Amino acid sequence: MYDGYDSCSEDTSSSSSSDESEEEVTSLPSSLPIIKNNGQVYTYPDGKSGMGYNALLRYEGFESDSSLDFWCNVCGLDIHPVGWCATSGKPLVPPRTIQHKYANWKAFLVKRLTGAKTLPPDFSQKVSESMQYPFKPSMRVEVVDKTYLCRTRVAIVDSVIGGRLRLVYEESEDKTDDFWCHMYSPLIHPIGWSRSIGHRFKRSDIAKKQDSHFDAPPHLFAKVKEVESSGEWFKEGMKLEAIDPLNLSAICVATIRKVLADGYLMIGIDGSEAADGSDWFCYHATSPSIFPVGFCEINTIELTPPRGYAKLPFKWFDYLRETSSIAAPVKLFNKEVPNHGFHVAMKLEAVDLMEPRLVCVATVTRIIHRLLRIHFDGWEDEYDQWVDCESPDLYPVGWCQLTGYQLQPPASQSSRDSQSSSSKQKKKSKSQQYKGHKKKRKIPVGKKPVSLSSVPMTGGVRRSFSGDEELTPPQYRTLPAQTAPEASQPPRTSREFSPSLKTVSSLQLKEELLDGEEYNFLQGASDQESNGSASHYIKQEP
């Protein structure tokens, strides 16, 4: 009865296998038939109805009736190409609600499915292969010290979930002193990296590493772009704008504190640095998280001035003169803008980088060239984070379901309402006020603070990722605890969102700097979309 369905298998001319399974997963044409384990045929009815790995499906035979359309993760184990039932000896049956519509379902399906495009026959195998990751438990790496940002420590890979690594610092006997990050995070490096570039490093007190531990091969780590620093280059004391790694919602006035080898820079946030420089942090010169002077102003982003700076509104011209400083040359910054395909209002699953164990429901709310403003659904705007479009901490909708990783849902209305009155009382009038460096304590998976009072800071207070600062953080209101995610097949990166975008016109604005040079800044597609290699800050000869 089912032999005729062999002719409905993959159309090799249009859906041939590829080395990159991501293209196959996301390139789902309209009306693509697939089969689920229950033996019923489904169709992807609308080419625009895909969301990440989720597709809106319709039972074959329902024609234009969308009443029973449903969402399904097309990379799930119960999804198969047409022809799977025939080769597996499974019955192919219609839904009971429309069984009466056709007397001969075999003839109907043969007519509908013969020559149709479907998933490649090795689709599930390629999905499985694409979720294998090279990092393994017991590998040793160097990772940022979450209590002293200016240095790195040795950590051991404890587990790998979706390409995300749970790293346990080598000196942690009970394995509770951990740090989460993606394997392509700029925060992890091969053993010996710190010494090679002159970065501060905390030696382990352990006299001899365990025999079961071994150094992760250098080729496993993300590669940074090579830079030429022999000519005009960054110098200590130069000013710039940078995303504060301890308050990712803020772009702050910053200073280059030290120039390391291979293009790495130690950056300090003006007005909030610890006296010993323990909260300086390392950015590569090509990092999309550092910007030239004036970037925020021409892109209508609020720049966080130094704490205690009284001359508001903040003006770079005055500040450079008062501090006898110079701005880092614009031409030294990364100007590449990939054709990323993100749009405002897109939904995704994003890591809360202030509590990187958590993957949350999120929305893109602003786009400044390659910079995305990520809002965590249900939470206040103060928890928004600026993230690069190529960050490995952004995932398409459906990734958590695919990997078995727990997705943190949006906060409930009741949780938000309970905070509204207190939050409103604490909000100050609109100004360029210092927003403070928000710090989140270690909290159980499934818990996340709803609001956070601004925390006073002084130059002598050390800031860290851990939340174990020398200044006691405020108490948080939290949601009920949820079960921690189980290790499962890992997710992949966020390259799924990559449709082409039209070129966006730019607006030129001039900014006169202290040294008399003039710069033209090109304002990109703020709050809309961005693509191409637009140079959004270009030096112009006087």
Side-chain angles (χ1 to χ4, degrees), residues 21-51:
S21 62
E22 288 133 336
E23 295 181 5
E24 298 168 346
V25 171
T26 56
S27 300
L28 298 177
S30 177
S31 300
L32 173 71
I34 56 179
I35 296 176
K36 291 193 68 176
N37 276 342
N38 60 6
Q40 295 175 353
V41 180
Y42 303 85
T43 298
Y44 182 46
D46 182 355
K48 297 181 180 179
S49 295
M51 185 186 299

PDB file of all heavy atoms in Angstrom, residues 21-51:
ATOM      1  N   SER A  21      24.801  21.836   7.964  1.00  0.00           N
ATOM      2  CA  SER A  21      23.438  21.407   8.230  1.00  0.00           C
ATOM      3  C   SER A  21      22.535  22.559   8.569  1.00  0.00           C
ATOM      4  O   SER A  21      21.323  22.468   8.450  1.00  0.00           O
ATOM      5  CB  SER A  21      23.428  20.396   9.377  1.00  0.00           C
ATOM      6  OG  SER A  21      23.909  20.986  10.547  1.00  0.00           O
ATOM      7  N   GLU A  22      23.082  23.698   9.014  1.00  0.00           N
ATOM      8  CA  GLU A  22      22.241  24.820   9.381  1.00  0.00           C
ATOM      9  C   GLU A  22      21.459  25.314   8.176  1.00  0.00           C
ATOM     10  O   GLU A  22      20.320  25.732   8.298  1.00  0.00           O
ATOM     11  CB  GLU A  22      23.092  25.946   9.956  1.00  0.00           C
ATOM     12  CG  GLU A  22      23.616  25.612  11.320  1.00  0.00           C
ATOM     13  CD  GLU A  22      25.083  25.909  11.446  1.00  0.00           C
ATOM     14  OE1 GLU A  22      25.783  25.941  10.445  1.00  0.00           O
ATOM     15  OE2 GLU A  22      25.520  26.089  12.567  1.00  0.00           O
ATOM     16  N   GLU A  23      22.054  25.293   7.008  1.00  0.00           N
ATOM     17  CA  GLU A  23      21.352  25.740   5.824  1.00  0.00           C
ATOM     18  C   GLU A  23      20.169  24.838   5.533  1.00  0.00           C
ATOM     19  O   GLU A  23      19.097  25.282   5.163  1.00  0.00           O
ATOM     20  CB  GLU A  23      22.313  25.761   4.635  1.00  0.00           C
ATOM     21  CG  GLU A  23      23.431  26.789   4.790  1.00  0.00           C
ATOM     22  CD  GLU A  23      24.346  26.785   3.593  1.00  0.00           C
ATOM     23  OE1 GLU A  23      24.048  26.048   2.622  1.00  0.00           O
ATOM     24  OE2 GLU A  23      25.349  27.506   3.613  1.00  0.00           O
ATOM     25  N   GLU A  24      20.343  23.533   5.738  1.00  0.00           N
ATOM     26  CA  GLU A  24      19.263  22.615   5.478  1.00  0.00           C
ATOM     27  C   GLU A  24      18.152  22.768   6.506  1.00  0.00           C
ATOM     28  O   GLU A  24      16.974  22.644   6.190  1.00  0.00           O
ATOM     29  CB  GLU A  24      19.790  21.179   5.497  1.00  0.00           C
ATOM     30  CG  GLU A  24      20.824  20.922   4.416  1.00  0.00           C
ATOM     31  CD  GLU A  24      21.553  19.619   4.601  1.00  0.00           C
ATOM     32  OE1 GLU A  24      21.449  19.046   5.698  1.00  0.00           O
ATOM     33  OE2 GLU A  24      22.223  19.183   3.672  1.00  0.00           O
ATOM     34  N   VAL A  25      18.527  23.018   7.730  1.00  0.00           N
ATOM     35  CA  VAL A  25      17.537  23.138   8.790  1.00  0.00           C
ATOM     36  C   VAL A  25      16.644  24.342   8.567  1.00  0.00           C
ATOM     37  O   VAL A  25      15.444  24.284   8.775  1.00  0.00           O
ATOM     38  CB  VAL A  25      18.244  23.253  10.156  1.00  0.00           C
ATOM     39  CG1 VAL A  25      17.242  23.585  11.231  1.00  0.00           C
ATOM     40  CG2 VAL A  25      18.958  21.961  10.488  1.00  0.00           C
ATOM     41  N   THR A  26      17.208  25.447   8.111  1.00  0.00           N
ATOM     42  CA  THR A  26      16.438  26.675   8.035  1.00  0.00           C
ATOM     43  C   THR A  26      15.846  26.934   6.654  1.00  0.00           C
ATOM     44  O   THR A  26      14.956  27.749   6.526  1.00  0.00           O
ATOM     45  CB  THR A  26      17.321  27.864   8.403  1.00  0.00           C
ATOM     46  OG1 THR A  26      18.455  27.879   7.541  1.00  0.00           O
ATOM     47  CG2 THR A  26      17.780  27.766   9.835  1.00  0.00           C
ATOM     48  N   SER A  27      16.348  26.272   5.617  1.00  0.00           N
ATOM     49  CA  SER A  27      15.844  26.532   4.282  1.00  0.00           C
ATOM     50  C   SER A  27      14.607  25.690   4.005  1.00  0.00           C
ATOM     51  O   SER A  27      14.637  24.740   3.233  1.00  0.00           O
ATOM     52  CB  SER A  27      16.932  26.238   3.233  1.00  0.00           C
ATOM     53  OG  SER A  27      18.048  27.046   3.462  1.00  0.00           O
ATOM     54  N   LEU A  28      13.528  26.009   4.695  1.00  0.00           N
ATOM     55  CA  LEU A  28      12.296  25.251   4.548  1.00  0.00           C
ATOM     56  C   LEU A  28      11.348  25.995   3.625  1.00  0.00           C
ATOM     57  O   LEU A  28      10.808  27.037   3.997  1.00  0.00           O
ATOM     58  CB  LEU A  28      11.637  25.040   5.915  1.00  0.00           C
ATOM     59  CG  LEU A  28      12.464  24.236   6.918  1.00  0.00           C
ATOM     60  CD1 LEU A  28      11.721  24.160   8.247  1.00  0.00           C
ATOM     61  CD2 LEU A  28      12.746  22.849   6.402  1.00  0.00           C
ATOM     62  N   PRO A  29      11.116  25.510   2.418  1.00  0.00           N
ATOM     63  CA  PRO A  29      10.212  26.209   1.508  1.00  0.00           C
ATOM     64  C   PRO A  29       8.765  26.051   1.932  1.00  0.00           C
ATOM     65  O   PRO A  29       8.424  25.167   2.715  1.00  0.00           O
ATOM     66  CB  PRO A  29      10.471  25.502   0.168  1.00  0.00           C
ATOM     67  CG  PRO A  29      10.918  24.127   0.546  1.00  0.00           C
ATOM     68  CD  PRO A  29      11.687  24.293   1.828  1.00  0.00           C
ATOM     69  N   SER A  30       7.913  26.898   1.407  1.00  0.00           N
ATOM     70  CA  SER A  30       6.501  26.812   1.692  1.00  0.00           C
ATOM     71  C   SER A  30       5.941  25.485   1.196  1.00  0.00           C
ATOM     72  O   SER A  30       6.364  24.950   0.185  1.00  0.00           O
ATOM     73  CB  SER A  30       5.766  27.973   1.021  1.00  0.00           C
ATOM     74  OG  SER A  30       4.379  27.873   1.228  1.00  0.00           O
ATOM     75  N   SER A  31       4.969  24.939   1.947  1.00  0.00           N
ATOM     76  CA  SER A  31       4.298  23.688   1.596  1.00  0.00           C
ATOM     77  C   SER A  31       5.251  22.501   1.558  1.00  0.00           C
ATOM     78  O   SER A  31       5.119  21.598   0.728  1.00  0.00           O
ATOM     79  CB  SER A  31       3.568  23.807   0.250  1.00  0.00           C
ATOM     80  OG  SER A  31       2.595  24.826   0.319  1.00  0.00           O
ATOM     81  N   LEU A  32       6.236  22.490   2.466  1.00  0.00           N
ATOM     82  CA  LEU A  32       7.168  21.371   2.553  1.00  0.00           C
ATOM     83  C   LEU A  32       6.533  20.254   3.379  1.00  0.00           C
ATOM     84  O   LEU A  32       6.219  20.445   4.549  1.00  0.00           O
ATOM     85  CB  LEU A  32       8.466  21.826   3.220  1.00  0.00           C
ATOM     86  CG  LEU A  32       9.489  20.735   3.551  1.00  0.00           C
ATOM     87  CD1 LEU A  32      10.109  20.210   2.268  1.00  0.00           C
ATOM     88  CD2 LEU A  32      10.551  21.274   4.470  1.00  0.00           C
ATOM     89  N   PRO A  33       6.287  19.061   2.809  1.00  0.00           N
ATOM     90  CA  PRO A  33       5.682  17.982   3.581  1.00  0.00           C
ATOM     91  C   PRO A  33       6.714  17.227   4.396  1.00  0.00           C
ATOM     92  O   PRO A  33       7.825  16.965   3.935  1.00  0.00           O
ATOM     93  CB  PRO A  33       5.073  17.075   2.499  1.00  0.00           C
ATOM     94  CG  PRO A  33       5.954  17.287   1.311  1.00  0.00           C
ATOM     95  CD  PRO A  33       6.474  18.701   1.401  1.00  0.00           C
ATOM     96  N   ILE A  34       6.368  16.871   5.597  1.00  0.00           N
ATOM     97  CA  ILE A  34       7.210  16.043   6.448  1.00  0.00           C
ATOM     98  C   ILE A  34       6.303  15.052   7.165  1.00  0.00           C
ATOM     99  O   ILE A  34       5.084  15.157   7.130  1.00  0.00           O
ATOM    100  CB  ILE A  34       7.991  16.873   7.485  1.00  0.00           C
ATOM    101  CG1 ILE A  34       7.017  17.711   8.325  1.00  0.00           C
ATOM    102  CG2 ILE A  34       9.015  17.751   6.823  1.00  0.00           C
ATOM    103  CD1 ILE A  34       7.710  18.530   9.389  1.00  0.00           C
ATOM    104  N   ILE A  35       6.882  14.060   7.813  1.00  0.00           N
ATOM    105  CA  ILE A  35       6.108  13.029   8.492  1.00  0.00           C
ATOM    106  C   ILE A  35       6.552  12.959   9.942  1.00  0.00           C
ATOM    107  O   ILE A  35       7.744  12.999  10.246  1.00  0.00           O
ATOM    108  CB  ILE A  35       6.304  11.656   7.799  1.00  0.00           C
ATOM    109  CG1 ILE A  35       5.744  11.707   6.379  1.00  0.00           C
ATOM    110  CG2 ILE A  35       5.642  10.550   8.590  1.00  0.00           C
ATOM    111  CD1 ILE A  35       5.973  10.440   5.595  1.00  0.00           C
ATOM    112  N   LYS A  36       5.585  12.855  10.845  1.00  0.00           N
ATOM    113  CA  LYS A  36       5.898  12.666  12.261  1.00  0.00           C
ATOM    114  C   LYS A  36       5.764  11.192  12.612  1.00  0.00           C
ATOM    115  O   LYS A  36       5.250  10.383  11.839  1.00  0.00           O
ATOM    116  CB  LYS A  36       4.966  13.517  13.120  1.00  0.00           C
ATOM    117  CG  LYS A  36       5.235  15.022  12.986  1.00  0.00           C
ATOM    118  CD  LYS A  36       4.535  15.810  14.072  1.00  0.00           C
ATOM    119  CE  LYS A  36       5.140  15.522  15.436  1.00  0.00           C
ATOM    120  NZ  LYS A  36       4.555  16.341  16.498  1.00  0.00           N
ATOM    121  N   ASN A  37       6.193  10.846  13.828  1.00  0.00           N
ATOM    122  CA  ASN A  37       6.207   9.452  14.249  1.00  0.00           C
ATOM    123  C   ASN A  37       4.826   8.810  14.266  1.00  0.00           C
ATOM    124  O   ASN A  37       4.697   7.592  14.203  1.00  0.00           O
ATOM    125  CB  ASN A  37       6.838   9.328  15.642  1.00  0.00           C
ATOM    126  CG  ASN A  37       8.350   9.271  15.557  1.00  0.00           C
ATOM    127  OD1 ASN A  37       8.899   9.001  14.505  1.00  0.00           O
ATOM    128  ND2 ASN A  37       9.020   9.533  16.668  1.00  0.00           N
ATOM    129  N   ASN A  38       3.775   9.624  14.410  1.00  0.00           N
ATOM    130  CA  ASN A  38       2.434   9.047  14.454  1.00  0.00           C
ATOM    131  C   ASN A  38       1.925   8.663  13.064  1.00  0.00           C
ATOM    132  O   ASN A  38       0.797   8.224  12.912  1.00  0.00           O
ATOM    133  CB  ASN A  38       1.455  10.012  15.115  1.00  0.00           C
ATOM    134  CG  ASN A  38       1.357  11.340  14.374  1.00  0.00           C
ATOM    135  OD1 ASN A  38       1.938  11.502  13.312  1.00  0.00           O
ATOM    136  ND2 ASN A  38       0.618  12.272  14.936  1.00  0.00           N
ATOM    137  N   GLY A  39       2.759   8.850  12.037  1.00  0.00           N
ATOM    138  CA  GLY A  39       2.407   8.410  10.705  1.00  0.00           C
ATOM    139  C   GLY A  39       1.567   9.378   9.915  1.00  0.00           C
ATOM    140  O   GLY A  39       1.128   9.067   8.816  1.00  0.00           O
ATOM    141  N   GLN A  40       1.320  10.573  10.435  1.00  0.00           N
ATOM    142  CA  GLN A  40       0.523  11.557   9.726  1.00  0.00           C
ATOM    143  C   GLN A  40       1.432  12.528   8.976  1.00  0.00           C
ATOM    144  O   GLN A  40       2.541  12.819   9.410  1.00  0.00           O
ATOM    145  CB  GLN A  40      -0.385  12.315  10.704  1.00  0.00           C
ATOM    146  CG  GLN A  40      -1.429  11.413  11.359  1.00  0.00           C
ATOM    147  CD  GLN A  40      -2.240  12.136  12.402  1.00  0.00           C
ATOM    148  OE1 GLN A  40      -1.956  13.270  12.738  1.00  0.00           O
ATOM    149  NE2 GLN A  40      -3.267  11.470  12.912  1.00  0.00           N
ATOM    150  N   VAL A  41       0.925  13.021   7.845  1.00  0.00           N
ATOM    151  CA  VAL A  41       1.696  13.924   6.994  1.00  0.00           C
ATOM    152  C   VAL A  41       1.338  15.358   7.344  1.00  0.00           C
ATOM    153  O   VAL A  41       0.178  15.705   7.510  1.00  0.00           O
ATOM    154  CB  VAL A  41       1.405  13.666   5.505  1.00  0.00           C
ATOM    155  CG1 VAL A  41       2.224  14.608   4.636  1.00  0.00           C
ATOM    156  CG2 VAL A  41       1.731  12.220   5.154  1.00  0.00           C
ATOM    157  N   TYR A  42       2.371  16.201   7.465  1.00  0.00           N
ATOM    158  CA  TYR A  42       2.172  17.599   7.794  1.00  0.00           C
ATOM    159  C   TYR A  42       2.825  18.450   6.714  1.00  0.00           C
ATOM    160  O   TYR A  42       3.753  18.030   6.039  1.00  0.00           O
ATOM    161  CB  TYR A  42       2.794  17.948   9.149  1.00  0.00           C
ATOM    162  CG  TYR A  42       2.266  17.115  10.288  1.00  0.00           C
ATOM    163  CD1 TYR A  42       2.817  15.874  10.566  1.00  0.00           C
ATOM    164  CD2 TYR A  42       1.221  17.580  11.069  1.00  0.00           C
ATOM    165  CE1 TYR A  42       2.332  15.106  11.610  1.00  0.00           C
ATOM    166  CE2 TYR A  42       0.737  16.818  12.114  1.00  0.00           C
ATOM    167  CZ  TYR A  42       1.289  15.583  12.380  1.00  0.00           C
ATOM    168  OH  TYR A  42       0.811  14.836  13.418  1.00  0.00           O
ATOM    169  N   THR A  43       2.327  19.655   6.573  1.00  0.00           N
ATOM    170  CA  THR A  43       2.892  20.578   5.593  1.00  0.00           C
ATOM    171  C   THR A  43       3.253  21.880   6.273  1.00  0.00           C
ATOM    172  O   THR A  43       2.541  22.347   7.160  1.00  0.00           O
ATOM    173  CB  THR A  43       1.878  20.853   4.463  1.00  0.00           C
ATOM    174  OG1 THR A  43       1.602  19.627   3.795  1.00  0.00           O
ATOM    175  CG2 THR A  43       2.447  21.835   3.451  1.00  0.00           C
ATOM    176  N   TYR A  44       4.390  22.439   5.873  1.00  0.00           N
ATOM    177  CA  TYR A  44       4.814  23.756   6.333  1.00  0.00           C
ATOM    178  C   TYR A  44       4.072  24.764   5.468  1.00  0.00           C
ATOM    179  O   TYR A  44       4.462  25.034   4.337  1.00  0.00           O
ATOM    180  CB  TYR A  44       6.329  23.848   6.158  1.00  0.00           C
ATOM    181  CG  TYR A  44       6.997  25.107   6.600  1.00  0.00           C
ATOM    182  CD1 TYR A  44       6.698  25.695   7.822  1.00  0.00           C
ATOM    183  CD2 TYR A  44       7.971  25.705   5.799  1.00  0.00           C
ATOM    184  CE1 TYR A  44       7.345  26.832   8.225  1.00  0.00           C
ATOM    185  CE2 TYR A  44       8.620  26.843   6.195  1.00  0.00           C
ATOM    186  CZ  TYR A  44       8.311  27.400   7.414  1.00  0.00           C
ATOM    187  OH  TYR A  44       8.962  28.539   7.812  1.00  0.00           O
ATOM    188  N   PRO A  45       2.936  25.323   5.919  1.00  0.00           N
ATOM    189  CA  PRO A  45       2.014  26.017   5.032  1.00  0.00           C
ATOM    190  C   PRO A  45       2.442  27.388   4.566  1.00  0.00           C
ATOM    191  O   PRO A  45       1.972  27.875   3.557  1.00  0.00           O
ATOM    192  CB  PRO A  45       0.739  26.119   5.884  1.00  0.00           C
ATOM    193  CG  PRO A  45       1.248  26.180   7.281  1.00  0.00           C
ATOM    194  CD  PRO A  45       2.472  25.315   7.302  1.00  0.00           C
ATOM    195  N   ASP A  46       3.317  28.050   5.299  1.00  0.00           N
ATOM    196  CA  ASP A  46       3.621  29.438   4.984  1.00  0.00           C
ATOM    197  C   ASP A  46       5.110  29.654   5.133  1.00  0.00           C
ATOM    198  O   ASP A  46       5.662  29.468   6.206  1.00  0.00           O
ATOM    199  CB  ASP A  46       2.849  30.361   5.937  1.00  0.00           C
ATOM    200  CG  ASP A  46       3.073  31.831   5.628  1.00  0.00           C
ATOM    201  OD1 ASP A  46       3.888  32.130   4.746  1.00  0.00           O
ATOM    202  OD2 ASP A  46       2.429  32.668   6.277  1.00  0.00           O
ATOM    203  N   GLY A  47       5.772  30.054   4.049  1.00  0.00           N
ATOM    204  CA  GLY A  47       7.210  30.251   4.094  1.00  0.00           C
ATOM    205  C   GLY A  47       7.638  31.279   5.118  1.00  0.00           C
ATOM    206  O   GLY A  47       8.778  31.325   5.532  1.00  0.00           O
ATOM    207  N   LYS A  48       6.736  32.134   5.586  1.00  0.00           N
ATOM    208  CA  LYS A  48       7.057  33.161   6.569  1.00  0.00           C
ATOM    209  C   LYS A  48       6.734  32.717   7.988  1.00  0.00           C
ATOM    210  O   LYS A  48       6.883  33.467   8.928  1.00  0.00           O
ATOM    211  CB  LYS A  48       6.274  34.448   6.262  1.00  0.00           C
ATOM    212  CG  LYS A  48       6.629  35.068   4.926  1.00  0.00           C
ATOM    213  CD  LYS A  48       5.844  36.344   4.701  1.00  0.00           C
ATOM    214  CE  LYS A  48       6.192  36.973   3.352  1.00  0.00           C
ATOM    215  NZ  LYS A  48       5.407  38.214   3.120  1.00  0.00           N
ATOM    216  N   SER A  49       6.255  31.485   8.134  1.00  0.00           N
ATOM    217  CA  SER A  49       5.797  31.031   9.440  1.00  0.00           C
ATOM    218  C   SER A  49       6.864  30.271  10.205  1.00  0.00           C
ATOM    219  O   SER A  49       6.554  29.535  11.129  1.00  0.00           O
ATOM    220  CB  SER A  49       4.549  30.161   9.288  1.00  0.00           C
ATOM    221  OG  SER A  49       3.491  30.926   8.774  1.00  0.00           O
ATOM    222  N   GLY A  50       8.116  30.402   9.814  1.00  0.00           N
ATOM    223  CA  GLY A  50       9.183  29.781  10.558  1.00  0.00           C
ATOM    224  C   GLY A  50       9.696  30.713  11.634  1.00  0.00           C
ATOM    225  O   GLY A  50       9.722  31.925  11.471  1.00  0.00           O
ATOM    226  N   MET A  51      10.096  30.163  12.767  1.00  0.00           N
ATOM    227  CA  MET A  51      10.658  30.957  13.850  1.00  0.00           C
ATOM    228  C   MET A  51      11.795  30.155  14.456  1.00  0.00           C
ATOM    229  O   MET A  51      11.567  29.246  15.242  1.00  0.00           O
ATOM    230  CB  MET A  51       9.586  31.272  14.899  1.00  0.00           C
ATOM    231  CG  MET A  51      10.075  32.209  15.999  1.00  0.00           C
ATOM    232  SD  MET A  51       8.862  32.444  17.310  1.00  0.00           S
ATOM    233  CE  MET A  51       7.521  33.171  16.414  1.00  0.00           C
TER     234      MET A  51
END
